[in-house]
Amino acid sequence: MKSLFETYDMSGQKLRNRVVMAPMTRARAKDGIADEQTAEYYRQRAGAGLIVTEGTPISQEGTGFAFIPGIWSDDQVRGWQGVTKAVHEEGGKIFAQIWHVGRMSHTSLQAAGGQPVSSSAKPARDDKSTAYAFNDEGVAGFVEASVPRPLRTDEVARVVNDFANAAANAVGAGFDGVEIHGANGYLLEQFLNPLINDRTDRYGAGSVEDRTRFVLEIVDAVVARIGAAKVGIRLSPFGRLFDMPHHPLIEETYLHLAAALAERNLAYVHLKDQGAASAPAISRDFLGRFRQSYSGTLILAGSLDKRRAEEFLRDGLIDLAAFGQPFIANPDLVARLRQDLALATPIRETYYGGGAAGYTDYPAYEDSAEAKAA
Ligand SMILES: Cc1cc2nc3c(=O)[nH]c(=O)nc-3n(C[C@H](O)[C@H](O)[C@H](O)COP(=O)(O)O)c2cc1C
């Protein structure tokens, strides 16, 4: 029977187990550059078969939160080199999640206070749709996302190229590959969703081919730059995050993508189930149909525990299981899962921002409160 703890060959990259650390923004990069503390955090978690980093913006335009480490400048690449070195010293593998937030940004984060870009001019307006940016006094905090402007047709190629450059930078920084962030209501989803995308050009909402064109152009540009075996993509079908409305074309859209991505022989597709975030869960039925259309490595994330992850593996629905929050408080998560040791509960207040507290100070099991209580 397939186990979470056996090795896995991911397009020629040998993972030491089937546990993936899901991408998690931690907002601790003061100057937008990964530093020694970032390296320490990922080093502690290198027991994962694969780490996917926090989202790293491909450009200033793609940034929606302050204190996030980017991947477009030489200094940022040097910062990430420390991270990849640390993880590789521990025998781990690490992909960078490359990210453009689209409309989930704020004028204070954009060049010359400009508008963020999107597929359309529709702003995100539910109560969770905030950017972490600066107010008029320059103080950082949560602010309503600004009204975006639609990317002109002749600008799309520039954004596609920014993704390809970021991927090349990631390889230059020593990453084993990149995960294109196509989930969670950000720019790629703003093109995929026909209720947000009101364009009439070839990236428009008229047909599934047009709506998925931007995503596939990004995939193809990134593959052309660094090779398919180093490229993954994250998608969140049925997701509602950041004011993404539900629409009747979700299944058609994502099954079309599944088939198109299968032809491209990527390292993986990573599905994020937002069932815990007041969205419909990805059903086993849909997962099975996605799997039929997409023959490559499939990762699932969202409220997994050891039992559910092993069930999905056993039933052949997924190849790798991603864990997010459990990795925050359990740097040695794989060892704890393997030995059925108690897990520590992460502290939500320190998820984003601050320093070492709630970041690099969670102990391994031997030194933990859970061990003392056992
Ligand atoms: C603090 C925090 C930050 C996150 N940041 C990202 C991110 O940068 N990119 C992304 O795709 N998902 C992000 N997520 C979602 C996680 O990758 C994961 O899918 C989610 O937490 C559900 O998995 P879990 O139930 O195992 O935590 C974040 C989640 C948390 C808790």
Side-chain angles (χ1 to χ4, degrees), residues 22-26 53-55 97 99 179 181 183-184 234 272-273 301-304 322-326 328 351-352:
M24 282 182 292
T25 289
R26 305 303 309 273
T53 67
E54 60 211 279
Q97 190 189 48
W99 186 25
E179 175 176 291
H181 196 342
N184 295 354
R234 193 172 219 214
K272 187 206 170 194
D273 180 2
S303 310
L304 292 181
F323 296 76
Q325 292 156 93
I328 291 182
Y351 276 9
Y352 303 103

Side-chain angles (χ1 to χ4, degrees), residues 5 67 88 91-92 113 140 156 169-170 178 198 200 212 214 240 250 258 266 274 285 323 338:
F5 309 106
F67 312 127
H88 290 152
V156 172
N169 284 347
V178 299
D198 60 4
T200 52
T212 53
F214 179 54
R240 292 275 178 85
I250 294 179
L266 303 182
Q274 287 184 11
D285 172 61
F323 296 76
R338 193 196 296 263

Side-chain angles (χ1 to χ4, degrees), residues 105-262:
S105 185
H106 185 258
T107 50
S108 67
L109 298 172
Q110 297 291 317
Q115 281 177 286
V117 299
S118 182
S119 60
S120 70
K122 295 181 189 176
R125 279 295 170 263
D126 64 6
D127 55 0
K128 290 212 184 82
S129 290
T130 49
Y132 194 81
F134 300 98
N135 67 15
D136 293 344
E137 282 87 52
V139 179
F142 287 101
V143 294
E144 185 172 73
S146 302
V147 177
R149 67 173 181 83
L151 277 168
R152 293 190 318 271
T153 307
D154 66 355
E155 275 181 298
V156 172
R158 172 184 57 75
V159 180
V160 170
N161 196 44
D162 286 345
F163 270 99
N165 286 341
N169 284 347
V171 170
F175 282 104
D176 300 296
V178 299
E179 175 176 291
I180 298 166
H181 196 342
N184 295 354
Y186 296 114
L187 184 62
L188 277 65
E189 234 179 69
Q190 293 159 28
F191 275 78
L192 292 175
N193 190 311
L195 301 180
I196 304 298
N197 180 344
D198 60 4
R199 308 174 72 88
T200 52
D201 63 2
R202 64 180 188 279
Y203 301 100
S207 68
V208 70
E209 285 78 17
D210 285 351
R211 244 179 317 121
T212 53
R213 189 181 315 281
F214 179 54
V215 171
L216 293 173
E217 284 187 0
I218 291 169
V219 170
D220 290 340
V222 170
V223 165
R225 201 69 75 86
I226 66 170
K230 289 193 164 75
V231 181
I233 183 167
R234 193 172 219 214
L235 302 169
S236 49
F238 309 102
R240 292 275 178 85
L241 263 180
F242 301 136
D243 210 6
M244 273 294 130
H246 206 77
H247 62 85
L249 304 175
I250 294 179
E251 297 209 356
E252 177 193 340
T253 306
Y254 284 92
L255 293 176
H256 175 87
L257 272 180
L261 293 170

Side-chain angles (χ1 to χ4, degrees), residues 281-299:
I282 296 177
S283 66
R284 285 177 69 88
D285 172 61
F286 178 77
L287 194 57
R289 280 186 291 138
F290 192 95
R291 183 92 161 148
Q292 271 171 7
S293 304
Y294 176 72
S295 43
T297 296
L298 190 60
I299 309 179

